[in-house]
């Protein structure tokens, strides 16, 4: 494994609160479309994280490298915590009018179907592919001031910064397990192509359905402004799209892009004695 693959991965005890009135209806700095996109993605995380855990656990007893074995334990602990905290956020978003319960059910049924149709090694390849998506988005959030500015100063911002940090921290674990148990480059790449189509297709479809149930969508000027802002989103920059495509190269590894400095910068910022998440840690 590469040097950065020896990184310690551990779960943190943390909790977030979303009191009534603590969030505006369109909580992503008043942006209509981005608020619905983030709500949809949050709705997919509880079932998605559980799927990731199952996919990795299926092969945990075949991992012989002691460092990777410890990383798998940390990965599972982090993902379980992510799932729990997104459940709490999703309930608050549901109360605010976002269809998070519906999207959670759809995600559960879709992943259960995938586990019936595909082999365990393909499910692990799907996990590695989706972990690449989350890591790229996470590192865009951590590394781009414009991306962070979208989240204002709400509890959602704090939660997503924490989630982003841990996604970047464990980004290579599922990939390394897949490789360690004999997953092929061919399966890895075609699985990513399938996942890319379904991921962006699902985001487009279910965000549209969510928007159609929001009165603000029917204000043409507001909708057009929000769609125009989406085109210029820091999460859709050319550099971000290039990082997505890197996964399809033979020989790719998540650590080809070094995130050491990024994590070293954010660790005290988030988890230090005076860090942004100090009050959320237990």
């Amino acid at each position: 494994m590469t040097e950065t693959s020896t990184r310690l991965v551990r779960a943190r005890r943390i909790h977030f609160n979303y009191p009534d009135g603590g969030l505006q209806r369109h909580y992503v700095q008043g942006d209509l479309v981005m608020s619905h996109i983030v709500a949809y993605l949050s709705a997919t995380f509880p079932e998605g994280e559980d799927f990731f855990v199952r996919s990795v656990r299926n092969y945990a007893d075949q991992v012989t490298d002691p460092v990777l074995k410890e990383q798998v334990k940390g990965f599972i602990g982090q993902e379980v915590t992510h799932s729990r905290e997104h459940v709490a956020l999703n309930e608050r978003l549901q109360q605010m009018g976002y269809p998070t319960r519906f999207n959670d059910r759809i995600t559960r049924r879709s992943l259960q179907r995938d586990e019936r149709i595909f082999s365990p090694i393909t499910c692990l390849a799907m996990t590695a592919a989706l972990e690449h998506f989350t890591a790229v988005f996470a590192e865009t959030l951590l590394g781009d001031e414009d991306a962070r500015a979208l989240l204002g100063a709400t509890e959602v911002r704090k939660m997503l910064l924490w989630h982003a940090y841990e996604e970047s921290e464990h980004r290579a674990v599922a990939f390394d397990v897949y490789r360690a148990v004999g997953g092929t480059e061919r399966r890895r790449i075609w699985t990513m192509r399938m996942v890319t189509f379904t991921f962006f297709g699902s985001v487009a479809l279910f965000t549209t359905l969510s928007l159609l149930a929001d009165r603000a969508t029917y204000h043409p000027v507001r909708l057009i402004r929000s769609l125009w802002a989406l085109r210029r989103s820091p999460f859709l920059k050319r550099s971000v799209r290039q990082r997505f495509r890197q996964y399809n190269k033979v020989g790719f590894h998540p650590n080809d892009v070094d995130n050491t400095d990024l994590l070293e910068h954010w660790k005290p910022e988030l988890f230090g004695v005076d860090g942004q998440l100090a009050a959320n840690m237990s």
Side-chain angles (χ1 to χ4, degrees):
M1 286 189 287
T2 63
E3 183 179 349
T4 48
S5 289
T6 64
R7 179 182 296 125
L8 175 67
V9 177
R10 67 179 183 87
R12 296 171 176 86
R13 298 179 64 181
I14 195 165
H15 182 67
F16 299 89
N17 295 294
Y18 309 98
D20 290 349
L23 294 175
Q24 296 180 355
R25 174 69 170 92
H26 301 111
Y27 56 96
V28 182
Q29 289 294 77
D31 188 279
L32 173 66
V33 175
M34 278 300 296
S35 294
H36 282 269
I37 290 174
V38 173
Y40 170 68
L41 292 174
S42 182
T44 68
F45 276 122
E47 292 295 334
E49 307 281 20
D50 289 350
F51 172 82
F52 297 166
V53 168
R54 292 193 301 272
S55 298
V56 171
R57 271 185 176 152
N58 281 336
Y59 290 93
D61 60 352
Q62 297 183 33
V63 174
T64 57
D65 183 280
V67 174
L68 184 55
K69 287 179 76 72
E70 285 302 309
Q71 289 178 337
V72 166
K73 292 178 184 178
F75 170 86
I76 290 171
Q78 287 185 348
E79 297 292 52
V80 168
T81 309
H82 296 172
S83 178
R84 182 196 70 206
E85 290 303 315
H86 274 280
V87 167
L89 174 58
N90 293 343
E91 280 302 302
R92 186 71 193 93
L93 292 173
Q94 179 72 36
Q95 293 167 12
M96 292 164 59
Y98 294 93
T100 52
R101 292 176 192 163
F102 170 78
N103 289 327
D104 177 80
R105 290 195 301 272
I106 293 296
T107 302
R108 180 175 64 253
R109 292 170 185 170
S110 297
L111 293 174
Q112 288 174 343
R113 179 204 61 210
D114 289 342
E115 287 177 301
R116 290 194 302 269
I117 294 173
F118 299 113
S119 65
I121 193 65
T122 297
C123 289
L124 182 58
M126 291 170 64
T127 295
L130 288 165
E131 283 288 299
H132 180 65
F133 276 121
T134 56
V136 173
F137 282 135
E139 289 168 10
T140 301
L141 179 62
L142 295 174
D144 191 316
E145 187 176 350
D146 291 338
R148 295 192 301 278
L150 291 173
L151 300 178
T154 67
E155 191 81 346
V156 174
R157 171 194 171 96
K158 293 166 65 178
M159 194 268 239
L160 292 180
L161 286 174
W162 157 74
H163 192 165
Y165 183 92
E166 292 195 344
E167 288 296 332
S168 182
E169 191 173 49
H170 72 227
R171 66 182 185 178
V173 175
F175 187 100
D176 285 341
V177 172
Y178 175 80
R179 194 166 63 174
V181 300
T184 65
E185 288 288 87
R186 181 179 180 183
R187 184 189 300 270
R188 179 181 68 78
I189 292 170
W190 71 248
T191 299
M192 171 53 97
R193 289 172 178 161
M194 174 185 69
V195 165
T196 299
F197 176 78
T198 57
F199 175 82
F200 286 107
S202 296
V203 171
L205 172 61
F206 290 103
T207 298
T208 299
L209 292 176
S210 183
L211 282 163
L212 289 173
D214 187 335
R215 287 185 177 181
T217 303
Y218 299 93
H219 293 272
V221 174
R222 185 170 185 183
L223 177 61
I224 291 170
R225 284 178 177 170
S226 186
L227 290 171
W228 181 254
L230 181 65
R231 290 186 61 192
R232 297 178 286 111
S233 170
F235 294 101
L236 296 177
K237 285 182 177 179
R238 183 179 180 182
S239 59
V240 175
R241 299 197 304 270
Q242 287 174 337
R243 280 202 65 189
F244 285 140
R245 290 194 293 269
Q246 286 175 356
Y247 193 95
N248 292 327
K249 295 180 180 178
V250 173
F252 166 84
H253 190 277
N255 293 330
D256 289 345
V257 175
D258 189 6
N259 64 353
T260 304
D261 289 344
L262 189 67
L263 293 178
E264 288 182 352
H265 168 78
W266 278 101
K267 187 173 184 179
E269 284 281 329
L270 295 177
F271 308 113
V273 175
D274 299 316
Q276 296 180 35
L277 303 180
N280 301 87
M281 303 289 288
S282 58

